[in-house]
Structure formats: structure tokens, C-alpha cells
Amino acid sequence: MPQPTTHTLLIAERNPRLAQLLTIFLEAFDYRIIVCDTGAAALELLAAHTCDMVITEAELADMQGVELCQLIRHNRNFRNIPVLFISALSRELELARMMDAGASACLVKPFESSELLNTICRLLDSIP
Amino acid sequence: MNSHNKFWWFTLLAVLLTLAVVGALLVYIWQQLTSLEQTIVIEILRHQGGYLFGVFILLIAALGFGGDAIVNNYIIPSRKICEGTLLMQSANPAHRIDIEGGQELKALANAINEGANRYERLFQHVEKRVEKARQMAERDKNILAAVISELPEGIIICNGRGDIIFYNRKACQLLSPSQADGNACDIRAFIGVGRSIFDLLDADRVRYAMDETAASRQRNQVAVASVFYSQGIQGHPVRIEITPILDDAQEINGYILLFAHQSPHLANEQVERFRYQLDVQLRNSLAVVQLAAELLKDYPHLVASSQPPVVDILYQEVEHLGKLLGPGDSSDPSDSSEPSGIAPGSGVWPLAIVAPAEFATSLQHRLENKGGPHLVLMLQDSAGHIRIDTYSMLLALSHILRHLQVAAQTESLDCIVCRKNAFVTMDFSWKGAGIKLNELTAWYQEQLALTSTTGDPVTIKDILAANDAEVCLLPERYHGREGCLRLFLPLAEPADDAARSGAVLADSRPVFFAFDLFERPDRITSLDSLPLTDLTYTVFDTETTGLEPRRGDEIISIAAVRIFNNQLLDDEVFNQLVNPCRSIPKESIRIHGIRPEMLVDQPTIDLVLPAFARFAANSVLVAHNAAFDLCMLAMKEAQTGIVFNHPVLDTMLLSAVVHPAHKKHSLEAIAARVGEPVTGRHTAAGDARVTARLFLKLLPLLARNSIFTLEQARQASQKVPLAKIKF
């Protein structure tokens, strides 16, 4: 099991139950978790807090995860933050679209907790 | 001036001339006389002047009576003989000349009648043979018509200009309001022979489909039919398939349009989309269940201290999953209230299998023709096929690229078409200013002049979602360009279903009503110069509460029939009772039989006139005593905003043009002259039908009088005395 360090993760997820479970799970590994359910809220929180990673689902209440990712990539201040998609959309086209929009990695739901943790660690390690 | 008046003017002139000559002669003789002779003449006139004046008056009276006898016995009868002969030769072979007049003219009339008897026998003999042949052709035609009429698919056939030349009952049911059962106020256009298909359906969409079939033929494709969906009469999606008709030279000179309710193809697409939506929902829930299960199994210490308890979260998710799947009928995709990959209200377009290169070329042409940036195509690896609705995608992409042209200040875009694993990308890159992502996002939300199969307006975002397509702005500089938009399109297997392969060849076409319209010349803008036989007519009549439109009388019934291609179209009837919102005098009820209780639930005139205007669109209005009916319509212009500025012909005036020697020009009088039975009088529908049949009988009589065009008919009508009647 990788040894996580203290980082702030912003989770954009519409399903409050999944957001709760992710918070319980990731806080146990010393991550600081900020949760929201819309793209607009995610952008506001990104501006207000120093976040090390964004975890977003593919479809948010107000925009697609892809749009949020593009907005992050086009913002000078956030463009280097890793963006991890946890996506219920599983078609190859949709996943390719996420990667093309600037996603750092994609996990298709349902995913194993260890897979999520490994991916988060890998992406945080890759930050220069 | 009629012949009776002409004669009397001539007689008066002759008498005046005679008097002038005699007077001049008398003056001359008077001057030659000596003063003695003049004295003698004055003396004679003084004593005998009374007698001479009496003789003069008697002479004038004799001339008058003689002239009147000539008029009544020779002038008028000869005119009637002329009109009667024309009638027998054209409109009514059974007509016979019956005149009061001189013996010579009576003998002439009898001789003409005898000739007419022989002509009628010959005519009837020929008619019988023609009728026999016609019945045989009609029998075949009726079998074919019955088969086509009862087909489960609607059929419309139109010529190359989009004029409808054939339609069946099913097409009417799917697309057009019922024209005879009180639903005439539906907002849709009417189906009818001679009407334009572009008025009935989305003109741009139909033109695009026609162009698509033409392009398929140019590429020598086996499948040339183009398919799209439109909204039917009750909001149901209707599948429309357009197939070209070829002439002898293999050129397209018409189209067959097949209409059907939502097809299995569309149903399958919806099922597939629903299945995927369900898949997405299940994956969302499974993610919760799996994470909760792992926490419970692998991290019991976390679970023990978690707030809220993981078990509660798990229970809530299972409950949510239960709601998602049942308990009711969950098989209807439209019941899914959760957000999904399909934009709400976008409806579903029929997705066709096309080659990416073809689609890119169509986009290039559309941008060139409709104004947009120049597209430089680069086909890197365009093998494979994509599955999209080309029309909606072309509309959406053209819209985005035109915005891009302005925002990026560029006139030219490179378009690289490239196949990747499971999709095809089209990269639109440019030199010039970059664009911001929020600009692109704003363009997505714009509505297009296109409706979904459910009739809702759609945005570019809806179209992209319905086509499973995505557009993204690549974040980095791209191949030395300032910006690049990437369009993702899903790859698809080539079509394997039996597509409609082609066109109906000229030698296989059935002999059927109005198919000669294929050969009609292009429309002429001005109707005035067109032959009367080539025009489309709306023959109408109104029933009213009274005869004084300017004193509050109202329309209570309006009916119309159409004449097209010189034929009365029996199936195309507009017949609508109108609630006048006032009482109806008993005297008028006695005439038309329409009682107040019959009108209580009927629409008011402000609803009926717009529908009637659509029925009468692009036609010449015809009525008997049209001045009255037009006055009734004109009184409602301010209330309804509907202005009837159509050309108008009046059968009463036309009758006076062709039968100037007759004083009666009522419907009954004209019908008696042209040998047409009169039925259903004093109902708007009955009168409109009778008027239409009489109008068709008057057309050859007008031609006999050298009146061939609409302009000539209107000018001739204005010259008859009856034209001066005003309401």
C-alpha cells in the first residue's frame, strides 16, 4: 500500500453518498478533502483553496466533467493540477474525450479503492 | 355596349343624317326659287303645314316601330343563335336554340338545331367509346389507387420543384389536418395536389435530403434514399424517406416521399440509448456499493468510527437503486429523470452511416454556399464510417465554425480528418486569434432553426449529444496554429440493412392522376400572364347572418374547394361552421338552415380565417357574386390581420362576359345554360362545389371569346355592367 502524504483533494461528485464514502476513505489516508457537486462550485473552491488534485465525475449538475477539465486547463493558475476522472461513462469515445480535454487519468466506475488510492498517489508524485 | 343599344344608336344616327341631307336640299331649292315662288310656297305651308308635320311624325313613328321589330325579330335572335351555337359546340351539346323572331331566323335556328342533333348523336357515340376506354383505365387506376391508399406508409410524390402531384390517405393522416371534419383550424399546412412540399415540411430539411440523394447518385451509390424525421400531426415523430425519380435521361425529375410512424430503427436507437443511460446509473450506484463493501471488509476501523455510518450510506444507495429500477414501468426511456449523456428534449435523429470524407466534403460545400470560413480538407486516414445525422451535424458545425471565423478573425480553417481507435476526429485549426473556452461553451447553448422529433427547439449541445459527438478546444498550440477544435465522431460498422436502392425509372411509373405535372414549365411569378387552364383556384362561398356586411352581418359558414390542373379536386375541401357571436335572423335560417345551436361549439372567425388563408394560399379566388363574399372577408381584416389580396374571378361576371345577350346570371341560370345539375344549394360547401363546376364550364367559353389569360378574364369582367355592384 502506498504511503500518502497530506494533500488537499477537491472532489466534484453529484452523488452525495459516493462523496461521503470517498471522504471517509481518503481522510483515513490523511488527505484533506473538499467536496462539491457542481463545476461552478469546483472552480470557486479551486480559487479559494490550494488544491493538489481535482477528482471529478464525468457528469456534474451544471456541466460535463470534460468542460470542467477544459476550464481548469485553460486557467493559468490551475492548469498543472492533476485531474482524475471517476466516470460512469465507459465508452471508449467518452474516455478518449476526457483524456483529450486534459485529464490526467480516468477510472471507470465501479473501481476498487486500492486502484483509486494508487492512481491518486501516482498523479501526486508526478507533480513537478 | 350590347347589340340592342348598338342598333338604336345606328338608327338615330341614320335619321339625323337623313334629316340633315333633306334640310340641306330644301335650303338649296329655296335659294333657287324666285321671290314670287317663295311667296307661293310660304302660302302653301301656312295652309297645309299641319298636314305635312303630321305626315313627318307618322313617318318617324313607322321608322321606330320598324326598327323595334328588326331588333326583336332579327338582331337579338341572331345574337342568341350565335351564343347558343357556341354553347352547343363547347360547354353543353344538349343545348338547343329556342328563339322568338323572324321566320328566316327561326328556319336558321331549326337548321342549326337539326345539325346539333346530329352532332350530339355523334358526340354521344364518341363519348360512349371514350367512357368505355376511360372506365377500363379507371378500373386499373382505382386498383392501384386503392392499394396505395391503404398502404401502411404515407406516400407523397412531387416533381422536381416540390409541387405535390400525388398523395395517399395515410400521408394526410400523418401530416395534415383533416380538411372536412371540423379540424380545419389546425395550424399546419394542408396537403394538396399542386401545393408545395416545402410548405408542408421543413423546407431546408427537405432540400438537404433532396441534395443528399442527388449527391448519392453522382457517387453512383446503390442506396440513394435519404431519411430524416419530422413531427407528425399529433406530435409523433414521422420517419420520412426520400427517393428520387429519374426520367429517360436518368436525370432526377421528381421525388417519392415515404412517411411512417417512428420506425423500428428509431425504436432500436432509443432502446440502445436507454440501455446506456441505465448502464451509467448502475455504474454510479455500483461505485458506492463497491467502495462501501470494501470499507466494511478491509477497513473495519474506519467503518466503526465513520460518521455517517457506512452501512447507512450503503442502505441509502441500495434504496436509490431500487427507485431507479422499479417498481413501475421502467421500460420507457422518457421516464428517466436522471441526467444522462443525452440532452433532455433533444429527441433522436435518425443516424445514418456515412464516410467521414463525404461528411467533411458536405461541410465544406455548406460553408461555401451558406457563408462561412473556407475549409482546407486534409484526409489523413479517413477509412471507416461514422454514424451521425448529417443534417443536424452540418447545421451545428456550420454554426460553430461561423462563430469561430468571427472570433478568431480567420477566413480559412484547416480540417484534418483522421481515424483513431474507436472514433474519427476532425481537427479544425487556424492561424489568427485564439478563442476562449467560455466562448465555445456559450456557442453550445445557442438554439438552431431546427426542431427535434418531439418538436422542441434544440441547441448545438443537444445535437452533439444526440449524435454521440463531442467538440473540445485543444489546450496547446497545435501544429504551429493558434487554436484547434477537435470533433470526435463515433466509428460505426458499414450499413448492412437493405437500403432503398434506387430510383423509379420512367418506364415503370404508373399512369396516375396529375403525373403530367412532371413536365410543367417553371413557375412564372405573375399569375396574370398565365393561361386560365394552368392556374390553381380556390372556389369558395360563405353563408352569413344577412346581406349587409357593413351593418354587422357575420359569416357563419365558409367552404371552399380547389381546382388544379383544370380539375375539381374532390378530396380537398375546406368546410367550416363559424360562431358569429351574435343572433341569426329567422329569415336567413330559412335560407341556409344553420341554427344558432349548431354554432355554439364552433370556432370564431379569427381562428377560421387564418386556416382558410392557408387553404387558399397561392391560388386565384373564385366565387359567385364575389363582391359580397370579399366584402364579408374584408370586414374581418382588422380583427384577424388576414388580408385576402389574391386575384379574384367572379362566375357571375364571367357569365355576363360569355353570354351578354342573357339577362339572368344566377347560379341556376348559368347551370341551365351549360347543362350542369345544381345540388346542395344554400350551403357554403354545396354552393362552392356548384360554382366550381360552372367555372370549369365557363373556361372553354371564355377561350371561344379569345379570353385565355387571367389578366384578360379580369379585364373582361370589369367591363360588364354587373361589375359596378357594390356592397
Side-chain angles (χ1 to χ4, degrees), chain A residues 6-70:
Chain A
T6 304
H7 287 98
T8 302
L9 310 183
L10 174 66
I11 298 177
E13 170 61 56
R14 269 182 315 163
N15 186 336
R17 295 171 293 280
L18 183 58
Q20 284 172 338
L21 286 180
L22 286 172
T23 305
I24 292 168
F25 175 61
L26 293 173
E27 280 181 347
F29 289 91
D30 295 333
Y31 290 111
R32 187 168 161 258
I33 304 298
I34 304 171
V35 174
C36 62
D37 62 354
T38 64
L43 292 169
E44 281 178 19
L45 288 167
L46 269 177
H49 300 85
T50 305
C51 296
D52 299 298
M53 182 189 286
V54 175
I55 300 174
T56 178
E57 70 163 317
E59 294 177 306
L60 298 168
D62 58 343
M63 65 175 77
Q64 299 287 301
V66 164
E67 291 175 71
L68 174 62
C69 186
Q70 285 188 315

Side-chain angles (χ1 to χ4, degrees), chain B residues 433-550:
Chain B
I435 61 162
K436 292 195 168 62
L437 186 67
N438 56 0
E439 288 181 282
L440 184 63
T441 310
W443 302 340
Y444 281 171
Q445 305 302 330
E446 290 181 15
Q447 285 188 355
L448 296 184
L450 180 74
T451 53
S452 70
T453 50
T454 55
D456 300 319
V458 293
T459 62
I460 291 173
K461 192 173 182 177
D462 294 336
I463 292 174
L464 293 176
N467 283 278
D468 280 339
E470 301 273 2
V471 175
C472 74
L473 188 61
L474 295 189
E476 305 297 336
R477 280 171 66 87
Y478 180 83
H479 295 314
R481 295 303 187 102
E482 292 304 323
C484 178
L485 274 184
R486 174 165 288 177
L487 169 68
F488 292 86
L489 296 166
L491 264 181
E493 293 297 317
D496 57 352
D497 55 340
R500 204 169 293 274
S501 62
V504 178
L505 298 177
D507 55 4
S508 69
R509 78 185 197 200
V511 178
F512 216 73
F513 175 66
F515 277 102
D516 56 337
L517 294 184
F518 275 123
E519 315 304 332
R520 280 214 165 186
D522 285 342
R523 280 200 177 105
I524 299 171
T525 313
S526 169
L527 296 179
D528 272 345
S529 56
L530 285 179
L532 290 167
T533 48
D534 282 4
L535 291 167
T536 303
Y537 301 95
T538 299
V539 189
F540 77 105
D541 186 56
T542 59
E543 297 298 331
T544 60
T545 56
L547 299 174
E548 298 190 64
R550 295 183 195 283

Side-chain angles (χ1 to χ4, degrees), chain A residues 14-15 17 20-21 28 59 70-71 88-94 96-97 100 108-113, chain B residues 276 280 283-284 288 290 294 302 317 320 339-341 421-423 437 468 470-474 486 488:
Chain A
R14 269 182 315 163
N15 186 336
R17 295 171 293 280
Q20 284 172 338
L21 286 180
E59 294 177 306
Q70 285 188 315
L71 289 168
L89 306 180
S90 57
R91 288 176 176 166
E92 198 173 347
L93 172 68
E94 291 155 342
R97 168 88 176 82
D100 231 87
V108 175
K109 292 177 183 175
F111 46 79
E112 291 181 5
S113 56
Chain B
Y276 188 60
V280 169
R283 282 180 184 281
N284 271 320
V288 176
Q290 179 160 344
E294 285 185 19
L302 276 182
E317 188 61 39
H320 170 75
S340 70
N421 293 330
F423 48 88
L437 186 67
D468 280 339
E470 301 273 2
V471 175
C472 74
L473 188 61
L474 295 189
R486 174 165 288 177
F488 292 86

